[in-house]
């Protein structure tokens, strides 16, 4: 009988899992300057992303960012399993690599109770433990969209991650067009984005 882990690996091999591994080094993408934490807090819906193994079978993906008493940002990622309809969530924290520099859109996101880093691999876990940003807000207008980028160097390859987040679960096409154009201007892999299903989300609390 095929185990769940083997099935995920098999699915990964048969799909586009390896299409975002590159022999090129990670791009130099910086987070935005004058980052407004308070303006960024709240709910963001995932409009599209690059393929991520840990999101296989997920739809209705959203993230909620809150300010904690310890001044870290609380992170709650939620989704609905498209095959079984059950609700899933994982909680973690986000913080600035340098606590003295809080005006740059570059954060270290960690889900220590489940996985050591957002979209983790063993190499990625090392990046998070070393305090290097793994959640780069490449651009946002705070009210309609955000472009979040991450890249992990894995030996002689690199693995890119890109998320297009929107405030509305089903954003206007003009918002999507603006976000995608900005991503292209930044040299991000827009053409490889896959739209996230945001229908049948009644299981979300």
């Amino acid at each position: 009988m095929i185990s769940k882990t083997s099935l995920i690996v098999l699915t990964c091999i048969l799909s586009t899992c390896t299409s975002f591994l590159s022999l090129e080094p990670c791009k130099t993408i910086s987070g935005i300057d004058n980052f407004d934490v308070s303006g960024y807090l709240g709910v963001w819906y995932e409009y599209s992303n690059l393929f991520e193994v840990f999101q296989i079978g997920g739809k209705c993906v959203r993230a909620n960012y809150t300010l904690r008493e310890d001044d870290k940002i609380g992170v709650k990622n939620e989704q609905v399993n498209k095959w079984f309809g059950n609700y899933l969530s994982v909680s973690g924290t986000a913080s600035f690599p340098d606590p003295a520099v809080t005006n740059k859109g570059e954060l270290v996101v960690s889900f220590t109770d489940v996985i050591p880093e957002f979209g983790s691999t063993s190499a990625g876990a090392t990046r998070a433990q070393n305090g290097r940003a793994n959640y780069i807000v490449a651009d946002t207008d705070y009210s309609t969209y955000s472009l979040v980028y991450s890249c992990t160097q894995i030996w002689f390859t690199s693995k890119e991650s890109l998320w297009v987040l929107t405030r509305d679960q089903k954003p206007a096409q003009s918002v999507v067009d603006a976000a995608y154009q900005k991503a292209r201007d930044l040299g991000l892999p827009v053409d490889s984005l896959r739209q996230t299903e945001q229908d049948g989300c009644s299981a979300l609390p």
Side-chain angles (χ1 to χ4, degrees):
M1 185 175 180
I2 300 176
S3 68
K4 182 182 292 186
T5 301
S6 299
L7 183 60
I8 290 175
V9 171
L10 179 61
T11 303
C12 181
I13 292 172
L14 293 177
S15 69
T16 56
C17 181
T18 60
S19 64
F20 309 114
L21 285 175
S22 170
L23 297 178
E24 298 294 325
C26 288
K27 296 181 178 69
T28 302
I29 302 294
S30 298
I32 60 173
D33 294 321
N34 302 314
F35 182 60
D36 179 9
V37 173
S38 61
Y40 198 78
L41 298 178
V43 173
W44 290 95
Y45 291 91
E46 182 183 277
Y47 179 80
S48 61
N49 73 326
L50 298 186
F51 178 84
E52 299 289 347
V53 172
F54 63 90
Q55 285 188 262
I56 289 176
K59 67 175 185 176
C60 307
V61 180
R62 72 181 181 190
N64 190 13
Y65 304 113
T66 57
L67 189 61
R68 302 183 353 156
E69 291 183 357
D70 60 3
D71 289 333
K72 289 186 177 181
I73 299 169
V75 179
K76 185 174 184 179
N77 286 352
E78 304 169 278
Q79 66 177 29
V80 174
N81 185 288
K82 67 174 63 178
W83 298 314
F84 303 105
N86 57 305
Y87 167 76
L88 301 167
S89 69
V90 60
S91 296
T93 61
S95 57
F96 293 98
D98 182 352
V101 181
T102 59
N103 63 347
K104 191 80 171 174
E106 299 182 359
L107 300 163
V108 177
V109 175
S110 182
F111 299 98
T112 53
D113 292 339
V114 183
I115 50 177
E117 187 202 6
F118 199 67
S120 171
T121 63
S122 57
T126 301
R127 291 178 65 239
Q129 291 165 5
N130 288 342
R132 294 177 59 188
N134 56 7
Y135 184 106
I136 297 172
V137 183
D139 192 61
T140 185
D141 66 356
Y142 300 98
S143 60
T144 62
Y145 77 87
S146 178
L147 303 176
V148 178
Y149 178 79
S150 182
C151 187
T152 302
Q153 203 72 41
I154 308 172
W155 295 317
F156 54 86
T157 65
S158 61
K159 166 66 173 70
E160 290 186 299
S161 297
L162 176 62
W163 292 267
V164 176
L165 308 179
T166 57
R167 287 295 193 185
D168 292 332
Q169 189 170 19
K170 294 185 177 181
Q173 189 59 47
S174 59
V175 171
V176 175
D177 291 345
Y180 274 48
Q181 185 57 58
K182 184 61 179 182
R184 290 190 181 91
D185 293 343
L186 293 170
L188 299 176
V190 178
D191 293 337
S192 298
L193 287 169
R194 298 148 47 111
Q195 187 171 345
T196 302
E197 184 179 347
Q198 290 288 352
D199 289 309
C201 303
S202 60
L204 289 176

